[in-house]
Amino acid sequence: MTKTLLFATAAVALATGAIAEDTMSNKEIVGTFLGAVSQGDVDTIRELANPDYIQHNPFIPTGLEPFIELLPVLAEAGTTAENVRMFQDGDYVFMHNIWRNAEPFGAPEMVAFDIIRVDENGRVAEHWDALQPLVSETVSGRTQTDGPTEATDLDQTEANKALAVALVRDVLMGEDPARITDYISAESYAQHNPMIGDGLEGIVAAVEALTAQGNMFQYTEIHAVLGEGNFVLTVSEGQWNGTTNAFYDLFRMEDGMIVEHWDVIQPVPTEGLANDNGMFTGFDDVGPDSIRD
């Protein structure tokens, strides 16, 4: 079930004075921070985030005070966020969100993946994201965000991260595409990309269509792999539609196979940038080489 970005967590923390880094999990810190952003609660934002908050959204200035200065723009537009999924991998909290009245971000409704790093002092320290317009109709008939939301099989996190990386390298980067059936379930594969149907047959049909158009996705590098149990998010860079893109892919696993997929694809802008941090920097400790055996 979707929910407004952990407003309940924020309200409880504010009401009880429980905003203390040693009493809140990273998920609670991030949920309270985002609730404060949505409510324009500047005092709580300053309490929870570092002054040198690092921003990787290319259209938002880096630093906490420049970020706070943008809040009136969101308030005027009536922009709200709805959190669908929230997971944690160490210092990183990764989320699947829907933004409404989101014209400041480019469209009335946007689907997004957001990643926030919480530092060793329990402070919100760094943010990455990718957004694309939310569509009302998809090939599979599913939405871009529906499906399971709670992580299971927590003891399988590292194995599932390795599985996601192997799929991206072999299939999406073209190292050994014939191995697709080693990774994706032939019995059940739920697809949320708006242009691709369910099952292996949906992937095959999409690849054939894009290849015929000379416009197949070309993944070139995996920058980050984050997981909690049976959910894994990969952040990759590649080419599509003649532009460099950020590919955020969320996979759900069952019994050692990938059974569900959500994604967001955003072209990497080259003009009108508000910071020079880049959309892929800062992931040194969560790249593919960080996966434990």
Side-chain angles (χ1 to χ4, degrees):
M1 178 181 296
T2 58
K3 50 194 177 295
T4 302
L5 274 171
L6 290 187
F7 282 156
T9 301
V12 170
L14 291 169
T16 62
I19 297 179
E21 293 81 358
D22 58 351
T23 63
M24 298 171 66
S25 70
N26 285 348
K27 284 183 182 179
E28 290 170 333
I29 291 169
V30 169
T32 305
F33 173 76
L34 292 178
V37 170
S38 295
Q39 295 174 322
D41 181 355
V42 173
D43 290 340
T44 299
I45 292 170
R46 289 195 178 109
E47 186 172 353
L48 290 177
N50 281 332
D52 59 352
Y53 175 58
I54 302 170
Q55 181 62 251
H56 294 273
N57 181 308
F59 299 118
I60 299 178
T62 201
L64 187 59
E65 293 306 317
F67 173 70
I68 288 173
E69 290 173 4
L70 294 179
L71 296 182
V73 176
L74 301 183
E76 182 177 359
T79 304
T80 60
E82 193 175 88
N83 175 242
V84 183
R85 296 171 178 84
M86 179 179 287
F87 305 108
Q88 180 177 334
D89 187 345
D91 296 334
Y92 295 81
V93 175
F94 56 105
M95 296 154 284
H96 200 184
N97 296 322
I98 299 172
W99 292 86
R100 306 192 190 280
N101 298 317
E103 283 83 359
F105 296 137
E109 295 184 313
M110 304 284 282
V111 59
F113 283 108
D114 290 271
I115 302 170
I116 286 183
R117 179 177 63 84
V118 178
D119 70 12
E120 64 277 7
N121 298 314
R123 297 289 182 134
V124 170
E126 198 161 4
H127 170 256
W128 302 258
D129 65 359
L131 304 94
Q132 72 178 57
L134 190 72
V135 302
S136 58
E137 296 184 8
T138 67
V139 172
S140 69
R142 303 175 187 277
T143 74
Q144 289 173 274
T145 59
D146 64 348
T149 61
E150 301 297 326
T152 62
D153 303 325
L154 299 183
D155 61 331
Q156 296 298 308
T157 297
E158 296 302 309
N160 286 333
K161 287 164 70 171
L163 177 62
V165 168
L167 169 75
V168 173
R169 284 176 169 164
D170 281 345
V171 178
L172 299 175
M173 297 177 73
E175 293 183 6
D176 193 355
R179 292 194 64 192
I180 187 170
T181 54
D182 291 345
Y183 310 122
I184 292 180
S185 172
E187 298 178 358
S188 176
Y189 183 69
Q191 179 63 256
H192 298 269
N193 179 297
M195 300 183 299
I196 304 176
D198 281 344
L200 284 171
E201 61 273 17
I203 297 175
V204 171
V207 169
E208 289 177 348
L210 290 170
T211 301
Q213 299 166 13
N215 195 30
M216 182 58 191
F217 305 111
Q218 296 178 344
Y219 282 51
T220 56
E221 186 173 355
I222 304 169
H223 290 279
V225 187
L226 299 169
E228 182 179 352
N230 63 330
F231 283 88
V232 177
L233 177 70
T234 61
V235 179
S236 305
E237 182 177 0
Q239 304 298 312
W240 189 46
N241 285 331
T243 62
T244 297
N245 287 260
F247 296 99
Y248 278 59
D249 293 281
L250 180 67
F251 304 100
R252 182 173 68 86
M253 286 76 168
E254 282 184 4
D255 300 324
M257 299 292 286
I258 298 171
V259 297
E260 196 157 7
H261 170 253
W262 303 259
D263 66 352
V264 165
I265 304 171
Q266 179 184 327
V268 177
T270 58
E271 299 179 349
L273 305 183
N275 66 70
D276 59 2
N277 294 326
M279 294 184 71
F280 304 112
T281 61
F283 285 133
D284 296 344
D285 57 341
V286 290
D289 293 339
S290 69
I291 299 172
R292 300 187 298 273
D293 294 333

